Amino acid sequence: MQFKSYWHDTAPRFAKQSTAPLEGHYDVAVIGGGFTGLGAALQLAKAGAKVVVLEAGTVGSGASGRNGGHLNNGIAHSFIAAKEELGVERAKALYRAFDDAVDTVERIVAEEGIDCNFRRAGKLKLASKPAHFDSIAKNFEAVHREIDPDTALLTADDLKAEIGSTSFHGAMLSKKSAMMHMGRYAVGLAEAAVRSGAVIFENAAVTDRKVNGSRHELTTTRGKLSADNVFLATGAYTPGIFSYFRRRIVAVGSFIIATRPLTKAEVAATMPGNRTCVTSLNIGNYFRLSPDNRLIFGGRARFSATSDQQSDAKSGEILRASLAEIFPHLAKIEIDYCWGGLVDMTKDRFPRAGHVDGLWYAMGYSGHGAQMATHMGMMIADAILGKADRNPVKGLEWPAVPGHFGKPWFLPLVGMYYKTLDRFQ
């Protein structure tokens, strides 16, 4: 078993990073080299802006390379609940934004010739309990009637052609959803940004920011520069110097395993529908097949922001047990990869983007951001350029999490709460 991201290990290395001294002045400095930052950099550079990307690690090394490989359309949680919380028009606008986000990724992949196995697969929201199917059916009726006719409700019998498991009681199918190889997409997106004129510095963590008149002065581990605008695209990996965002983002660990490649017979017995799948439990699982037919299986195995080899190994065993429960015929299959990473959660699980304290930002995707990150990055880039503001969450209130000042000490309590809900609901 290798304790590293399958997406990173099976993607080409990004080789277009700048080796020049880190200095000078830019129109826009983008902090973070994941999908959000790279999408923004591509959009800005194509418009003729002088843009630099400052990545603390390597391109795609954060959440963009530490996810399940899903590009799921629509709002992650209940559309009915979203309407109650956000109002009908805002809920519909956000739902459409997630749909548009999948379209954006598909367009970029085609325009830039990115070899990342993009495919419209469809997503199954699987009912883990009979009562969950009732809730899914009610939500489906509202979604199908009001916002997305490209959906279907599947019974347990219907699922026999989709998934080789008897664990589920039906599902909602969202037909617009897609999947891709996240590592290859990250590298391809970075290369596209550089081709368009962006400059990308890796291993350039931002350690300080000062405002001098209309300019931002940034200090990094590789040097200093200035910029007219700063776009913060760091999510769960936001540096402590940006305390406003640290108090509003909860970094939660997400853990994933990848099996050895399945045989044709095993694929037919496990994932004949070859879609992305998400279970309905609060502490549930998500899974799909990789381009080389591995089962990529993840979940909130532990409510912790820690991700190292020891914690990943513990989480891997928890995930293996969940995999065996859903797919008993794979109980003893070899696990080739096991890795973890951080997901940037907001209290209400809706993303946030806009302008505050002199900074542009987009983050808080709450485990549903692989597609939305590129899209939101490009929308905020347009706002920086003075174009039409298409931000679906503009002006959405974003209070700080009470008692949260950077380290999410309360995560074990949150985990216990959701485990209790899953036991009794």
Side-chain angles (χ1 to χ4, degrees):
M1 183 188 298
Q2 303 179 78
F3 291 99
K4 54 186 174 182
S5 167
Y6 165 81
W7 307 123
H8 292 155
D9 195 48
T10 56
R13 181 177 176 274
F14 174 61
K16 302 292 184 180
Q17 68 273 22
S18 179
T19 58
L22 197 159
E23 59 188 12
H25 180 76
Y26 292 85
D27 296 326
V28 186
V30 177
I31 304 177
F35 297 157
T36 302
L38 295 173
L42 176 61
Q43 191 82 335
L44 290 163
K46 283 194 168 185
K50 186 179 180 184
V51 58
V52 61
V53 177
L54 305 171
E55 166 55 44
T58 56
V59 161
S61 59
S64 297
R66 298 179 182 278
N67 56 67
H70 300 203
L71 299 169
N72 293 330
N73 74 297
I75 299 172
H77 35 325
S78 167
F79 176 63
I80 295 173
K83 288 194 298 178
E84 293 174 353
E85 189 163 350
L86 302 177
V88 174
E89 293 309 312
R90 170 92 78 176
K92 286 184 176 181
L94 187 56
Y95 193 104
R96 292 190 182 102
F98 275 101
D99 285 3
D100 293 343
V102 183
D103 294 341
T104 293
V105 173
E106 185 175 37
R107 174 180 58 79
I108 292 171
V109 168
E111 289 178 354
E112 302 296 338
I114 301 175
D115 180 13
C116 63
N117 306 98
F118 178 94
R119 184 173 70 86
R120 294 275 185 170
K123 177 194 82 171
L124 292 174
K125 179 65 176 287
L126 298 160
S128 299
K129 296 183 178 182
H132 293 189
F133 181 70
D134 295 339
S135 296
I136 287 173
K138 184 177 179 182
N139 189 61
F140 160 76
E141 289 171 3
V143 168
H144 190 78
R145 180 180 65 251
E146 299 178 35
I147 191 72
D148 188 0
D150 286 336
T151 50
L153 189 66
L154 307 185
T155 65
D157 282 342
D158 295 331
L159 284 181
K160 293 176 182 177
E162 296 285 351
I163 180 171
S165 174
T166 59
S167 298
F168 305 105
H169 303 271
M172 175 175 164
L173 170 61
S174 299
K175 299 177 184 179
K176 297 173 187 172
S177 295
M179 61 171 67
M180 68 180 177
H181 189 296
M182 296 300 181
R184 293 174 191 164
Y185 176 71
V187 172
L189 188 58
E191 290 176 344
V194 171
R195 280 196 305 271
S196 297
V199 178
I200 297 177
F201 286 95
E202 294 186 322
N203 302 307
V206 175
T207 57
D208 192 28
R209 165 185 167 253
K210 291 184 173 66
V211 179
N212 186 0
S214 62
R215 289 189 172 189
H216 302 258
E217 296 178 349
L218 300 177
T219 301
T220 80
T221 51
R222 289 185 56 179
K224 298 182 179 182
L225 55 80
S226 62
D228 295 327
N229 294 278
V230 173
F231 182 11
L232 193 63
T234 46
Y237 297 84
T238 299
I241 61 171
F242 300 106
S243 59
Y244 175 91
F245 302 94
R246 285 286 292 265
R247 293 196 62 198
R248 287 159 173 80
I249 288 291
V250 179
V252 177
S254 186
F255 303 92
I256 308 172
I257 54 177
T259 70
R260 61 156 171 77
L262 305 185
T263 65
K264 288 184 179 180
E266 287 171 333
V267 167
T270 307
M271 297 285 284
N274 200 4
R275 304 186 189 276
T276 63
C277 296
V278 181
T279 69
S280 61
L281 294 171
N282 290 295
I283 305 180
N285 298 105
Y286 49 87
F287 45 93
R288 55 157 286 192
L289 293 176
S290 68
D292 57 352
N293 285 334
R294 301 173 188 273
L295 185 63
I296 307 289
F297 189 94
R300 306 284 181 265
R302 296 168 61 244
F303 266 75
S304 168
T306 302
S307 180
D308 52 36
Q309 184 168 317
Q310 184 177 8
S311 65
D312 287 358
K314 291 179 181 178
S315 300
E317 288 307 311
I318 294 172
L319 289 174
R320 179 192 280 275
S322 296
L323 186 155
E325 185 175 343
I326 294 173
F327 300 111
H329 61 283
L330 297 181
K332 296 183 179 180
I333 194 169
E334 297 89 340
I335 305 298
D336 283 355
Y337 292 90
C338 176
W339 72 98
L342 300 178
V343 174
D344 50 330
M345 304 286 287
T346 59
K347 186 178 179 181
D348 58 14
R349 294 178 62 202
F350 297 121
R352 295 299 195 281
H355 188 263
V356 68
D357 193 26
L359 296 167
W360 297 92
Y361 67 95
M363 59 183 70
Y365 304 119
S366 303
H368 198 57
Q371 72 287 34
M372 196 63 159
T374 303
H375 190 61
M376 292 293 281
M378 289 185 154
M379 283 196 290
I380 296 302
D382 282 346
I384 294 171
L385 292 166
K387 297 182 180 180
D389 191 342
R390 299 177 290 124
N391 179 4
V393 292
K394 183 179 181 180
L396 184 61
E397 185 181 359
W398 194 13
V401 178
H404 178 38
F405 298 96
K407 284 191 174 183
W409 55 269
F410 44 80
L411 284 181
L413 299 177
V414 173
M416 289 177 61
Y417 170 74
Y418 282 123
K419 285 178 181 178
T420 302
L421 282 184
D422 283 339
R423 185 176 301 171
F424 295 106
Q425 290 186 349

